[in-house]
Amino acid sequence: MPQNAAKSTDIKGFVFVVTYGRSGSTLVQNLLNAIDGYCIRGENANAVGPLAQAWVNVRDNDVIRSHARTGETTQPNNPWYGAENCNHRRYGKALAHAFRSQILMPPAGTRVTGFKEIRWGNSFVDLSNTLNFLHRFMSPAKFIFNTRDLDEVVRSGWWAQQDANEVKRRLSATEALFHRYMRNNPDRCHHIHYNDYTSDHSKLEPLFDFLGEEYDPDLVSNVMSRKLMHLKKTAE
């Protein structure tokens, strides 16, 4: 770990932005990083999804659970040799530690870290498993679900090169996953909508309440007024 990395004891919480492409998620990332002590990383190709699935595979396998429960020593000729040593809690904790130390790598002075990702809905990994993994092993965890008017999304960026009806169908299904998780876990989730907070910045005040941070309208206006670099490149 780099010498200027934050100590694990300095990290007081985790924030994850759950969304899809062309939804304004980089704007949200910039906003969060403007809060003192926040280090919210960008996309990581959903690197945490397969880790969560690996943990679930160990946790939910009936044979592994049986061997772990009885503790009976297996022999080298047993097809599940060593299964009694599998501990899904220890395994999940180790996977999460590797992700924090090698992917997030929050710098010194960080008190809240996390990332934003747009690939939650198109992964082979179940969304709830991934978010539950983060909530369990990167605690306390808070999830910000960011959406945007889908008629605008389908005309934006790479989505505009695809069939609009199919894109809208896929993103509607993704939003349905988001809303189901929010309904089932209201205390750890907050929903923001791009069209709302870009037209009225005060719509973000509940987000700051959810994060336990003081709402600063000048900070929000300053972030909202900046032109994002990836949008500049798109326009060139």
Side-chain angles (χ1 to χ4, degrees), residues 79-134:
W80 292 86
Y81 178 46
E84 70 274 11
N85 299 317
C86 295
N87 183 304
H88 72 83
R89 299 176 186 85
R90 190 171 58 236
Y91 183 48
K93 185 176 180 180
L95 292 172
H97 175 76
F99 183 86
R100 290 196 305 268
S101 64
Q102 301 303 316
I103 303 296
L104 295 182
M105 292 189 290
T110 299
R111 58 187 178 87
V112 176
T113 190
F115 64 91
K116 72 102 168 180
E117 183 57 77
I118 65 173
R119 296 166 180 82
W120 309 92
N122 58 357
S123 169
F124 69 91
V125 178
D126 183 87
L127 174 68
S128 61
N129 283 341
T130 303
L131 300 186
N132 288 339
F133 171 82
L134 290 169

Side-chain angles (χ1 to χ4, degrees), residues 23 27 40-41 51 64 80-81 86 95 99 102 105 108 117 126 128 132 139 141 145 148 157 173 187 191-192 202 217:
S23 64
L27 181 60
I40 306 303
R41 300 297 192 185
L51 300 183
I64 293 177
W80 292 86
Y81 178 46
C86 295
L95 292 172
F99 183 86
Q102 301 303 316
M105 292 189 290
E117 183 57 77
D126 183 87
S128 61
N132 288 339
S139 181
F145 290 80
R148 183 180 181 181
D187 294 342
H191 179 215
I192 56 176
S202 68

Side-chain angles (χ1 to χ4, degrees), residues 32-103:
L32 295 173
N33 282 322
I35 302 174
D36 183 55
Y38 274 55
C39 177
I40 306 303
R41 300 297 192 185
E43 298 160 33
N44 51 60
N46 195 25
V48 77
L51 300 183
Q53 188 60 49
W55 166 65
V56 169
N57 290 346
V58 173
R59 183 196 66 182
D60 293 351
N61 184 274
D62 290 338
V63 178
I64 293 177
R65 290 170 63 181
S66 177
H67 281 292
R69 183 172 59 253
T70 64
E72 183 178 351
T73 301
T74 53
Q75 300 303 315
N77 62 347
N78 188 308
W80 292 86
Y81 178 46
E84 70 274 11
N85 299 317
C86 295
N87 183 304
H88 72 83
R89 299 176 186 85
R90 190 171 58 236
Y91 183 48
K93 185 176 180 180
L95 292 172
H97 175 76
F99 183 86
R100 290 196 305 268
S101 64
Q102 301 303 316
I103 303 296

